[in-house]
Amino acid sequence: MENSVCAYFSFVEEIATLVQDPTKATAQLKQAFKDPAIIPALCAVMTGSQDPQIRQSAAVMLRMRVKKHWKKISPDHRESLKAVVLQAFQQETEHTVRHSLSQLSAVMVKHETPDRWPALLTLLNQSTHSNNPQDRQVGLLLLSKVVESNPEPFKPHYRQLLQLFGTVLQDLNNPTALYYCILTLTAITAYTGSEEMNMMRSLVPRLITALKSLIKADENQASEAMEVLDELMESEVSIIVPHLAEIVRFCLEIGADTSLSDSVRVKALSCISVLIRLKSKAVLKQKLLNPILQTVFPVLSAAPPPGEEDPEDEENGDDENDNESPKHLAAQVIDTMALHMPPEKLFHQLMPLAQGCLASQNPYERKGGLMCLAVLAEGCADHIRTKMLSSMLQTVCQSLSDSNQVVRSAGLFALGQFSEHLQPEVSKYHTELMPLLLGYMSSLNRAKIGHLTKAFYALENFVENLGDDIQPYLPTLMETMLSALCSSESLKIKELAVSAIGAIANAAKEQLVPYFSPVIESLKGFLTDTRDEMRALQTQALDTLSVLARTIGKEVFSPLAAECVQLGLNLSDAVDDPDLRRCTYSLFSAVSTVSPDCLVPHLTAISTVMLMSLKSTEGVTAHLEEDKQFVLLDEDDDDEEDGAGDTILDEDGENDVVGQNVAGFSVENAYIDEKEDACDALGEIAFNTGVAFLPFLEPSFQQVYELRDFPHGDVRRAAFGAMGQFCRAQHKVWQANPTDENHQALHKLLAVVLPCFLEAVRGERERQVVMGVLEALNGVVKFCQAEALQAPGRLGEISHVIRDVLKKKTVCQDGGGDADDDDEQQAEYDAMLQEFAGEGIPLLASAVPADTFMPYLNELLPLIMNKAKSSCTVADRSFSVGTLGETLHALAKVQGGRGVAGRLSNRLLPVLVGGVKDQDPEVRNNSVFGLGVLAQAAGPIVVSDYPMMLSLFSNLLAKESDRRVIDNLCAALCRMIMTNMESVPLDQVLPVGSLSGDPACVCAVISVWYFTSPNWPF
């Protein structure tokens, strides 16, 4: 054995000189690792070599061997190894070697657990409580690594650890000890229970002080240590709520300090953003909004260093890479406020600061003001549309003629945001805005590309929503875009033009037919050019081709459908690019809406490539520890007869991460987008191809179902949407072929999907995902009707989830409001979430007999009616009376509906009558519709209310100017006539007026004319 040790000692020394050539070193190590004596040999080197690099290499090699082959190590060697590692750690003087030894210990703890390694616990206890600062520092290093590797087995020791942290966090003269202490606290936070909660809370003030001290000593370590705040907020936000003001002040102080590194400032501002997202009510209640705004605005409006530009203003800048600047995070803080705070409370304090910036002589302050307006548009859309749109648009339009291009670019970005989020009202200003945007287009060949990109962004978002109003601008737009495709030498301008054509097609639809041939000819040239420099243009051409498939009309596009499918398959095979693949998936999906038969022969190939995208870990980057030079050794160093090493599993069966030398993961956005689009496309293709997709439905569902817990919210949302589409597809198959087998398959799918939806609504943290789940749930109920509600208790479960959302009791709604929560003021996105839930009420009412739904409806109606009060927002009032109307409309069509509607009439009539008198036309429109369907659904029981309703309609008609309201008024009168003609003076009401064309209203009026006048020409 002595000779063997000497031989391996010599060998490892040789390997240490070969680390510059890992392949060569790995080949020799693989051969050496076949000898069982490798473990004691490496131990001898690790403790006996005079060269720290060789000792470190030996520790790394041991860790890699232990990681995969612990069970193959004899019990004697295991016990010897545990003793040797601790001995080496205690005698080691080099930090890099200690670090590797601590990582080796961490891997061993994954196998042994701390209670089966009492010597480790003894060493940790002695070193971390030592009077020697260096010993404490070393002990905390070891503690952080072993706890991070496997936090849960240390749970019996958490209280003791928290007591230790309370002491260490006061040792401000030992920043390295602070660093390792905070890393360990971060690791255990997610595993702490109620018994540790009070101790955790008491640590927060000391933690803030320690972070301040660590920032002064080492900003990189401080930036990493500040992850503890994110972990505390995400895992158990109640720990930090008592210290909310202190944390906010700390983060604001760091975020505003321009002498600090961007990474620390970004981390601090990010914490502010997360706090607002999770605890916006507490932020408002503790009067922290103004201090946050006072700090954030100077960051947002700061000028770059002399001679430099902000990244988004650089000619070759890429906005997507500017996610880590303090200025970007400052805008994100305001964006988060807009999404999570009531607009009335936010605007009262924010607008004076924004207006001050907009009036400034400093161009970067003007830019900051415009960026502020831009990021408000999404979260506060209703507030802006109904109260501020004209003045804000005027401000933005004036900025487009500013003398400074930085300001003009910000104005274009703001206009693009307004165009995307403030529809339909913003489109009414097309006569003012389109000339400005077309003016930018006229300078295609002169403007800087970076600035021009923002002009195209604004133009696309605006024209996409114009609808028929695009007609007078269509010739100029298409002439400009086709000219750019033919004559511009810039690939970027061509890419922008192709993208703009897609936006124009979304508005113009069949009006684009005269331009279809030249557009397709241009796209063909881009689609078949696979040079790398053409990739972005090729990808955009695919995207626009998909838009044309959906918009230009079936007759025009169908002849190209088969060619498009083959093109997509060829590109998927020829080009390895996630953006290109996702665009082929969108193309397949679009073709399925036009000519599903063209996809059927290729469904095997199409589903295969999409499932590969869903399964793929491509784009996931594992950030390796310092031993990455030996990563090749880890790939297949197990040549034993059984062909496999140990599989390290947690108790729940998930693969070990720490054992794979991984410090963390990152996922490229392109691969996230690919998975999202693959889910969307699979769901739509499954529904549109129907029976032909049946062989692929189960494997597709299984893979999509796995993504319901994917880390990225957009992928989760898409997965839930696809699951809903699969249910609808299976229902469609059963309807086409109503066999017992197909019926059982439908209910098997519903039994998995619907409980999954309900669990997600209650437990998902991201509102956007929950909205997507509710939308998918509503789609399944609407399409599958009673089949979706056949399982015992299903109707009640769905109704109770709707109730919980309306009561703000779900996780994404902060688990419910405070006892003194003002129900009438909430963030618009919170209201939107409740609207998605409320849309399910009439769908449930239409799917089951009325008496079956009545107990649940009685519980839900007060929550809806409460939003009709005059003090509520226009959006809430419109939602309330609209939901009541749609529910009554549904009751009119189901068994027992008349009786239920009659019993509800006394409660609903005052609400709808009040809505008819509302100042907002949308509320009036929905209320008039509601009164009409109440008359239809309730029948004779409301006839006594006809005189009051007719008087109300007469007064409304005398002053109403909104055509939609007049249309619905005509339809409501018709429903009253059809329900009880004798109670309506026909000679007075039939000449009410002409219709503007609402299909539902027209149908109602035609029905009553036919019903009352059999000889009428129709």
Side-chain angles (χ1 to χ4, degrees):
M1 180 62 192
E2 186 176 342
N3 291 337
S4 177
V5 170
C6 291
Y8 278 115
F9 199 110
S10 174
F11 174 69
V12 175
E13 287 183 328
E14 180 186 351
I15 291 299
T17 66
L18 296 173
V19 291
Q20 300 301 320
D21 185 357
T23 305
K24 194 171 180 181
T26 298
Q28 295 181 53
L29 276 170
K30 283 182 179 179
Q31 186 63 33
F33 271 24
K34 294 179 181 179
D35 188 336
I38 188 70
I39 298 290
L42 287 173
C43 285
V45 175
M46 184 175 68
T47 56
S49 175
Q50 297 301 307
D51 187 335
Q53 184 178 355
I54 292 175
R55 296 198 302 274
Q56 183 187 12
S57 297
V60 169
M61 294 177 208
L62 267 173
R63 174 153 68 95
M64 301 180 79
R65 188 65 180 171
V66 166
K67 178 189 68 176
K68 293 188 70 175
H69 299 285
W70 180 256
K71 291 179 181 177
K72 295 186 177 71
I73 301 173
S74 70
D76 289 345
H77 280 176
R78 289 184 200 173
E79 292 305 315
S80 174
L81 178 60
K82 288 194 287 187
V84 168
V85 168
L86 296 185
Q87 174 196 341
F89 189 83
Q90 288 175 282
Q91 70 185 29
E92 185 56 62
T93 57
E94 293 289 332
H95 174 72
T96 56
V97 186
R98 283 197 194 114
H99 196 265
S100 292
L101 286 166
S102 66
Q103 290 178 316
L104 171 57
S105 303
V107 171
M108 293 165 66
V109 165
K110 289 290 286 185
H111 295 283
E112 283 296 270
T113 73
D115 291 336
R116 281 157 51 187
W117 195 357
L120 171 67
L121 293 176
T122 301
L123 174 60
L124 287 172
N125 188 51
Q126 291 174 349
S127 59
T128 56
H129 289 86
S130 170
N131 292 325
N132 185 324
Q134 181 65 20
D135 289 345
R136 290 200 303 276
Q137 181 178 309
V138 171
L140 287 162
L141 163 63
L142 180 59
L143 178 67
S144 71
K145 294 301 177 185
V146 296
V147 173
E148 281 176 6
S149 74
N150 203 7
E152 206 157 7
F154 284 88
K155 197 167 177 54
H157 309 280
Y158 279 5
R159 292 184 67 82
Q160 185 181 351
L161 287 175
L162 291 171
Q163 289 173 348
L164 170 67
F165 298 159
T167 302
V168 174
L169 289 173
Q170 298 178 82
D171 188 6
L172 303 183
N173 295 321
N174 195 342
T176 305
L178 295 177
Y179 170 65
Y180 289 123
C181 171
I182 294 171
L183 292 188
T184 313
L185 178 59
T186 306
I188 71 170
T189 295
Y191 299 89
T192 53
S194 55
E195 60 274 17
E196 292 94 17
M197 208 69 73
N198 287 334
M199 293 184 72
M200 295 278 280
R201 285 194 191 97
S202 68
L203 288 180
V204 173
R206 296 179 186 179
L207 178 63
I208 298 302
T209 303
L211 286 170
K212 288 179 181 177
S213 180
L214 190 53
I215 288 170
K216 295 176 184 176
D218 189 322
E219 290 186 29
N220 289 330
Q221 286 189 344
S223 181
E224 184 182 355
M226 285 174 71
E227 294 284 349
V228 70
L229 298 177
D230 287 339
E231 193 65 40
L232 285 168
M233 288 185 285
E234 295 288 355
S235 298
E236 189 49 71
V237 71
S238 63
I239 292 173
I240 60 145
V241 169
H243 309 285
L244 188 67
E246 186 178 359
I247 292 173
V248 167
R249 282 194 295 270
F250 162 69
C251 291
L252 292 178
E253 178 185 332
I254 302 306
D257 190 343
T258 56
S259 68
L260 297 176
S261 67
D262 278 1
S263 64
V264 175
R265 297 178 66 203
V266 162
K267 182 64 70 177
L269 292 169
S270 176
C271 286
I272 296 285
S273 191
V274 174
L275 276 171
I276 293 167
R277 175 168 62 84
L278 295 176
K279 282 292 172 186
S280 59
K281 296 185 187 105
V283 169
L284 289 169
K285 193 173 182 179
Q286 297 192 34
K287 297 183 170 28
L288 296 171
L289 175 57
N290 189 55
I292 294 173
L293 290 172
Q294 293 290 347
T295 299
V296 162
F297 262 87
V299 178
L300 181 66
S301 306
E308 297 182 21
E309 293 182 305
D310 289 332
E312 67 270 17
D313 293 324
E314 294 173 359
E315 178 57 15
N316 297 316
D318 184 351
D319 291 355
E320 293 183 7
N321 293 330
D322 185 38
N323 294 337
E324 295 303 316
S325 72
K327 183 171 287 194
H328 177 93
L329 264 294
Q332 188 181 95
V333 168
I334 297 174
D335 186 22
T336 308
M337 288 176 172
L339 291 166
H340 293 272
M341 290 181 172
E344 298 81 3
K345 293 180 178 178
L346 174 60
F347 274 62
H348 176 69
Q349 298 193 46
L350 178 145
M351 287 310 292
L353 295 170
Q355 288 163 351
C357 287
L358 291 166
S360 171
Q361 295 299 308
N362 182 328
Y364 283 96
E365 291 188 0
R366 297 200 297 278
K367 173 188 173 180
L370 289 164
M371 294 298 289
C372 174
L373 299 186
V375 297
L376 290 171
E378 182 181 8
C380 300
D382 284 334
H383 185 82
I384 296 172
R385 285 191 297 111
T386 56
K387 298 181 179 179
M388 308 181 69
L389 182 57
S390 179
S391 61
M392 286 177 69
L393 262 182
Q394 185 178 6
T395 299
V396 170
C397 288
Q398 287 173 350
S399 74
L400 298 184
S401 56
D402 195 280
S403 60
N404 192 297
Q405 182 171 293
V406 162
V407 179
R408 296 198 300 274
S409 290
L412 287 167
F413 174 69
L415 182 55
Q417 288 285 101
F418 285 13
S419 301
E420 183 174 356
H421 299 296
L422 303 181
Q423 296 295 342
E425 282 79 2
V426 73
S427 290
K428 296 174 183 176
Y429 293 84
H430 62 87
T431 54
E432 293 90 350
L433 292 171
M434 280 304 292
L436 288 172
L437 292 169
L438 290 173
Y440 271 97
M441 294 303 106
S442 67
S443 59
L444 274 178
N445 296 318
R446 300 189 303 275
K448 292 182 177 180
I449 296 294
H451 186 64
L452 198 56
T453 300
K454 294 177 177 64
F456 267 97
Y457 169 73
L459 177 76
E460 281 191 39
N461 281 343
F462 192 77
V463 302
E464 192 165 30
N465 295 285
L466 278 178
D468 290 338
D469 288 333
I470 199 173
Q471 195 274 330
Y473 313 107
L474 192 56
T476 304
L477 283 168
M478 290 309 298
E479 180 184 346
T480 303
M481 301 310 156
L482 289 172
S483 173
L485 296 184
C486 296
S487 59
S488 177
E489 296 180 0
S490 167
L491 292 178
K492 183 63 179 178
I493 287 181
K494 289 185 177 184
E495 179 191 339
L496 293 170
V498 169
S499 180
I501 288 172
I504 293 165
N506 272 321
K509 296 184 170 56
E510 290 86 354
Q511 295 181 61
L512 202 68
V513 170
Y515 307 95
F516 184 65
S517 292
V519 168
I520 288 295
E521 286 306 310
S522 293
L523 295 185
K524 282 182 178 179
F526 306 144
L527 290 167
T528 54
D529 191 336
T530 57
R531 290 175 295 164
D532 287 347
E533 62 267 27
M534 292 289 292
R535 188 61 41 76
L537 179 52
Q538 185 182 39
T539 301
Q540 186 57 62
L542 264 179
D543 197 48
T544 295
L545 186 61
S546 301
V547 175
L548 291 170
R550 294 179 184 275
T551 57
I552 201 71
K554 185 174 181 179
E555 290 183 4
V556 176
F557 199 86
S558 288
L560 296 176
E563 185 180 351
C564 286
V565 174
Q566 195 59 57
L567 169 71
L569 289 170
N570 292 344
L571 287 173
S572 295
D573 288 340
V575 182
D576 182 16
D577 180 85
D579 280 324
L580 197 71
R581 282 195 299 269
R582 72 172 181 79
C583 286
T584 63
Y585 304 157
S586 296
L587 180 61
F588 296 146
S589 184
V591 170
S592 77
T593 67
V594 177
S595 183
D597 291 344
C598 290
L599 288 176
V600 171
H602 305 287
L603 282 177
T604 299
I606 290 171
S607 61
T608 298
V609 70
M610 288 190 188
L611 292 180
M612 285 174 62
S613 291
L614 296 183
K615 294 176 185 176
S616 172
T617 56
E618 193 176 7
V620 180
T621 303
H623 304 296
L624 304 177
E625 299 288 2
E626 87 286 345
D627 57 314
K628 59 182 179 294
Q629 64 264 34
F630 293 113
V631 72
L632 292 176
L633 170 66
D634 192 38
E635 291 177 355
D636 57 350
D637 63 349
D638 47 326
D639 290 336
E640 291 86 354
E641 289 183 6
D642 62 7
D646 300 347
T647 300
I648 305 174
L649 294 174
D650 292 322
E651 289 180 7
D652 59 1
E654 293 184 0
N655 288 329
D656 169 55
V657 175
V658 175
Q660 296 172 20
N661 313 314
V662 175
F665 291 101
S666 62
V667 185
E668 293 178 43
N669 286 340
Y671 293 94
I672 291 173
D673 294 342
E674 180 187 2
K675 289 182 187 295
E676 180 186 354
D677 286 5
C679 285
D680 290 339
L682 270 174
E684 189 168 22
I685 291 169
F687 181 74
N688 290 332
T689 56
V691 174
F693 196 82
L694 200 54
F696 313 99
L697 188 58
E698 186 170 348
S700 298
F701 174 78
Q702 288 175 348
Q703 197 56 52
V704 167
Y705 184 74
E706 291 298 317
L707 295 175
R708 72 195 187 283
D709 295 320
F710 192 81
H712 200 281
D714 287 344
V715 176
R716 295 199 301 278
R717 181 204 55 75
F720 286 118
M723 283 190 265
Q725 288 277 47
F726 291 151
C727 291
R728 296 173 65 218
Q730 185 66 58
H731 188 274
K732 187 177 179 181
V733 169
W734 171 63
Q735 284 186 316
N737 188 11
T739 64
D740 287 344
E741 182 182 1
N742 285 335
H743 195 233
Q744 289 170 6
L746 171 62
H747 282 279
K748 180 181 177 183
L749 196 57
L750 290 170
V752 175
V753 171
L754 293 180
C756 177
F757 282 175
L758 302 181
E759 181 185 356
V761 172
R762 285 200 168 99
E764 166 67 49
R765 303 194 73 150
E766 297 293 332
R767 282 181 313 187
Q768 294 282 49
V769 178
V770 177
M771 289 182 201
V773 176
L774 288 168
E775 187 176 24
L777 173 62
N778 290 341
V780 171
V781 173
K782 182 177 182 179
F783 194 81
C784 301
Q785 287 284 292
E787 294 296 325
L789 306 173
Q790 202 175 92
R794 180 73 46 73
L795 175 62
E797 291 167 356
I798 296 176
S799 299
H800 290 152
V801 158
I802 293 173
R803 175 200 64 194
D804 288 349
V805 175
L806 293 175
K807 285 187 169 184
K808 297 188 278 190
K809 295 294 183 185
T810 68
V811 168
C812 76
Q813 296 168 295
D814 194 10
D818 300 325
D820 59 347
D821 183 24
D822 184 354
D823 221 15
E824 295 170 18
Q825 285 198 333
Q826 60 179 341
E828 288 184 8
Y829 262 61
D830 288 328
M832 195 183 304
L833 176 66
Q834 293 180 314
E835 289 177 22
F836 273 97
E839 286 171 8
I841 298 174
L843 294 173
L844 293 175
S846 69
V848 294
D851 288 325
T852 303
F853 187 48
M854 182 65 176
Y856 307 109
L857 187 58
N858 267 331
E859 189 177 14
L860 294 170
L861 278 180
L863 302 173
I864 298 296
M865 294 163 62
N866 192 46
K867 294 180 177 297
K869 293 185 288 188
S870 59
S871 55
C872 292
T873 65
V874 169
D876 275 348
R877 300 199 305 273
S878 176
F879 159 64
S880 175
V881 293
T883 303
L884 297 178
E886 292 294 343
T887 303
L888 289 166
H889 194 232
L891 290 173
K893 300 175 182 178
V894 298
Q895 177 187 339
R898 173 155 291 187
V900 168
R903 295 201 294 275
L904 295 173
S905 60
N906 284 339
R907 294 162 64 188
L908 300 185
L909 193 62
V911 177
L912 297 172
V913 168
V916 172
K917 301 173 183 177
D918 199 275
Q919 295 296 312
D920 185 80
E922 187 177 343
V923 179
R924 295 197 300 275
N925 185 56
N926 290 349
S927 301
V928 168
F929 168 77
L931 283 175
V933 292
L934 175 62
Q936 181 183 9
I941 199 167
V942 295
V943 167
S944 60
D945 295 301
Y946 272 28
M948 178 273 294
M949 293 166 66
L950 291 170
S951 173
L952 182 70
F953 288 165
S954 176
N955 292 334
L956 176 63
L957 188 62
K959 55 186 178 182
E960 185 58 64
S961 59
D962 190 288
R963 293 302 308 178
R964 295 175 306 156
V965 179
I966 295 171
D967 283 357
N968 260 314
L969 191 151
C970 292
L973 288 171
C974 291
R975 289 186 172 99
M976 293 169 69
I977 293 168
M978 292 174 69
T979 304
N980 199 299
M981 190 189 314
E982 293 77 13
S983 300
V984 180
L986 297 182
D987 57 329
Q988 297 178 40
V989 302
L990 287 181
V992 154
S994 59
L995 296 173
S996 66
D998 184 313
C1001 300
V1002 171
C1003 289
V1005 174
I1006 290 175
S1007 298
V1008 76
W1009 274 107
Y1010 185 79
F1011 179 66
T1012 57
S1013 306
N1015 297 320
W1016 195 50
F1018 271 94

